[in-house]
Amino acid sequence: MEIFGIGVMEIMAVFLLAAIIFGPHRLPQLASQMGRAVRELREYARDFRDEYLVDFEEAKEDYLEIRHELQQDNREFQEELREADADIRSAVEEARTDADEAVADAKAEATAATTGSTTAPSSTAEPSTPSRTTPARRRARRRADAPVARPSNVISINRRPPTS
């Protein structure tokens, strides 16, 4: 049998050595002092554990509460991101559709102008159902008619320098 990695024979040797050094008449005093010291150490350890265990438990509860709040905020943020992504994707798809329609209208007008026909293109004919004229479509039509102006401070790699 071993206690803290020390065998029975080693413990007996320590007791025998203590009896020889301190003498048999002081051994009971030493044993009572050692008992008191061990008792006090246990009390200090218990007080320390109780005091800091309560503080540790409070800190742990605070940590778990904050962690739960952060997880909830993260879920809400992820949901908002998904909604924003869906909104952006639908706006991009609508803009793509509007741009495709504007290009088709411009091509129809260009072909009508080159052929010299006076008839209106079929795409500009008003359907019997109410048309959806969105602000994006109106802007696309205005942009198709307006010349493209570049700011003077923007340098394009495709742009050739002006010749003099």
Side-chain angles (χ1 to χ4, degrees):
M1 180 170 135
E2 290 187 8
I3 301 172
F4 300 115
I6 301 172
V8 176
M9 293 302 289
E10 294 165 341
I11 294 174
M12 295 289 274
V14 168
F15 282 137
L16 182 64
L17 187 62
I20 291 172
I21 293 174
F22 296 111
H25 61 283
R26 287 192 54 203
L27 223 51
Q29 291 173 346
L30 283 173
S32 67
Q33 287 177 353
M34 289 291 281
R36 256 185 268 138
V38 168
R39 195 174 321 121
E40 286 179 11
L41 282 172
R42 283 185 182 169
E43 286 178 22
Y44 287 140
R46 188 177 328 118
D47 291 343
F48 180 82
R49 185 189 66 218
D50 291 344
E51 180 179 337
Y52 289 103
L53 187 63
V54 170
D55 292 342
F56 178 73
E57 288 296 323
E58 289 175 3
K60 184 179 177 183
E61 288 174 10
D62 291 343
Y63 165 76
L64 292 175
E65 182 179 324
I66 291 170
R67 180 179 170 196
H68 178 13
E69 290 174 4
L70 286 175
Q71 287 175 341
Q72 184 67 27
D73 291 345
N74 186 31
R75 276 187 239 122
E76 291 172 3
F77 182 69
Q78 292 293 331
E79 183 61 32
E80 289 176 9
L81 279 178
R82 280 189 219 102
E83 291 173 5
D85 183 49
D87 291 344
I88 289 171
R89 288 182 188 274
S90 65
V92 166
E93 188 60 36
E94 184 177 325
R96 183 177 293 138
T97 306
D98 292 345
D100 290 343
E101 289 176 5
V103 167
D105 289 346
K107 284 182 181 179
E109 288 176 10
T111 56
T114 58
T115 58
S117 67
T118 58
T119 60
S122 63
S123 64
T124 59
E126 293 295 324
S128 61
T129 60
S131 65
R132 293 185 325 159
T133 306
T134 62
R137 283 187 184 170
R138 281 185 243 130
R139 282 192 302 270
R141 286 187 188 138
R142 272 189 251 133
R143 284 189 202 127
D145 296 338
V148 177
R150 290 187 180 164
S152 62
N153 61 350
V154 175
I155 299 173
S156 173
I157 59 171
N158 296 330
R159 188 180 197 189
R160 292 188 181 157
T163 58
S164 34

